[in-house]
Amino acid sequence: MPSEKPGGGESPLTKLRDKLSDGLARKRLTKTQLAAQSGLSRTTIQEAFREDGAVPSAETVVALARALGVSEAELLDLRRRAAAYPIGSVLGHGKGPGRPIGQWDPHDLEVHPSGSAAAASSVRALSGYVRRAHDQVLAEAVSEAMEGRSRMLVLVGSSSTGKTRACWEAAQPLADEGWQLWHPYDPTRAEAALADLERVVPQTVVWLNEAQHYLGNPQVGERIAAALHTLLTDSSRGPVLILGTLWPEYEGQYSALPRPGSPDPHSRARELLAGRTVAVPDTFSQDALRTATILAQNGDRLLADALSRASSSD
């Protein structure tokens, strides 16, 4: 039975698959022939047509449209609307762990209040945000997730360098697309992650702030790393975005190769983190510092307070 919107009518994903099926019938092709003509794998073709499959990537949609002689613009619009469609309404997975991004207070996700001025206020405000080089890397990961590809990025830096705030800012475009966020922490971070990772549904941000509490757990850390790897690589469960933070000493511990004959307690964590980390510098570049100064001069009390304390500590 076709998936329906809550108010009636077919979902964008169902309409997208109907267009693909009609094109396949008109061309009188088998899916094997379509795979050859589109340059896509047989598995990707099957997933694109499967009723309970994930939303196909934009690249897949374009390749299919060209092979079937169907309007690329029309299919891409349906794909965009399908990606923003409420979680679980098409795939029948339920809502999974988490809640809509817009319902989270960033401080409950361990984004630190901005300085003593924030601590003295009854409102837990955030200062203006100054983007740096790692924010571009985050933005690219978010863009790829919005296009249907699961991604993971862990920000590595010392304490109070803005890692968690950067993750929070990066996730905001996903809020407009209907994504939800899951922060596993109860009864403990490791227990919560291990219990519910298999329930994570598409369009979920998995929030692993202070990722050592997950990956470094001596009892279940390797199991969590394996479950995260499965979540990332199983196309039927995506797209998801896993965001985490780590101190450099923990990254060094997890990525270090053991000596021959020695135990290898972090092999799965090492595999998971490979190519999925980005460094956050301890200090602002001159360009970023100039931007922060302008914001402070234009009335951002929190940034002005933070800059004043940083200057006095030099």
Side-chain angles (χ1 to χ4, degrees):
M1 180 179 295
S3 300
E4 295 185 355
K5 292 183 179 181
E10 289 185 332
S11 72
L13 186 55
T14 298
K15 290 180 179 179
L16 172 61
R17 292 202 166 102
D18 285 347
K19 292 283 185 183
L20 293 175
S21 296
D22 290 346
L24 189 68
R26 283 196 301 271
K27 286 285 187 177
R28 297 183 179 180
L29 296 174
T30 66
K31 290 177 182 175
T32 299
Q33 292 170 330
L34 178 59
Q37 291 195 17
S38 64
L40 300 170
S41 70
R42 173 74 178 180
T43 300
T44 300
I45 295 292
Q46 292 284 23
E47 184 70 16
F49 281 85
R50 189 160 62 88
E51 285 190 10
D52 60 345
V55 178
S57 70
E59 289 83 355
T60 295
V61 167
V62 169
L64 290 173
R66 291 173 179 174
L68 296 173
V70 181
S71 167
E72 291 181 30
E74 183 179 9
L75 291 192
L76 284 171
D77 180 63
L78 285 171
R79 189 218 157 267
R80 179 187 59 78
R81 289 192 283 136
Y85 201 59
I87 299 166
S89 59
V90 175
L91 301 181
H93 292 300
K95 291 187 176 180
R99 62 178 185 263
I101 293 172
Q103 293 182 11
W104 282 96
D105 180 330
H107 298 93
D108 292 333
L109 297 172
E110 303 167 310
V111 177
H112 297 306
S114 302
S116 58
S121 172
S122 59
V123 178
R124 297 194 299 174
L126 293 176
S127 67
Y129 188 66
V130 178
R131 298 190 178 278
R132 295 181 279 168
H134 56 271
D135 292 290
Q136 180 58 41
V137 182
L138 275 167
E140 290 169 1
V142 169
S143 177
E144 290 176 354
M146 291 174 68
E147 291 173 358
R149 299 188 294 277
S150 292
R151 289 293 180 264
M152 177 179 182
L153 199 62
V154 176
L155 271 60
V156 178
S158 303
S159 176
S160 302
T161 51
K163 303 183 297 297
T164 313
R165 176 69 186 277
C167 289
W168 172 251
E169 295 296 330
Q172 297 314 296
L174 298 173
D176 297 332
E177 297 291 330
W179 282 55
Q180 66 179 14
L181 184 148
W182 175 48
H183 176 31
Y185 62 87
D186 184 17
T188 68
R189 301 190 207 207
E191 289 176 281
L194 192 62
D196 280 338
L197 269 169
E198 65 179 15
R199 295 182 51 240
V200 171
V201 297
Q203 296 183 305
T204 297
V205 176
V206 179
W207 190 264
L208 302 181
N209 194 49
E210 303 286 357
Q212 71 272 11
H213 294 299
Y214 304 96
L215 303 179
N217 184 281
Q219 284 76 45
V220 298
E222 286 290 86
R223 292 176 61 191
I224 291 172
L228 288 167
H229 188 269
T230 297
L231 176 62
L232 281 171
T233 56
D234 184 347
S235 61
S236 69
R237 300 181 63 191
V240 299
L241 176 64
I242 302 171
L243 294 177
T245 67
L246 269 179
W247 286 13
E249 50 264 44
Y250 289 117
E251 183 199 25
Q253 178 182 341
Y254 303 151
S255 61
L257 290 170
R259 295 177 179 177
S262 299
D264 190 4
H266 303 297
S267 63
R268 300 310 304 267
R270 182 170 60 250
E271 177 186 10
L272 179 70
L273 292 174
R276 297 187 174 109
T277 63
V278 60
V280 176
D282 292 343
T283 59
F284 275 21
S285 67
Q286 288 301 310
D287 286 344
L289 191 58
R290 279 192 291 270
T291 301
T293 302
I294 291 171
L295 289 173
Q297 292 171 344
N298 288 339
D300 192 318
R301 292 192 310 111
L302 301 178
L303 260 181
D305 176 63
L307 289 171
S308 176
R309 287 184 294 106
S311 177
S312 65
S313 65
D314 289 342

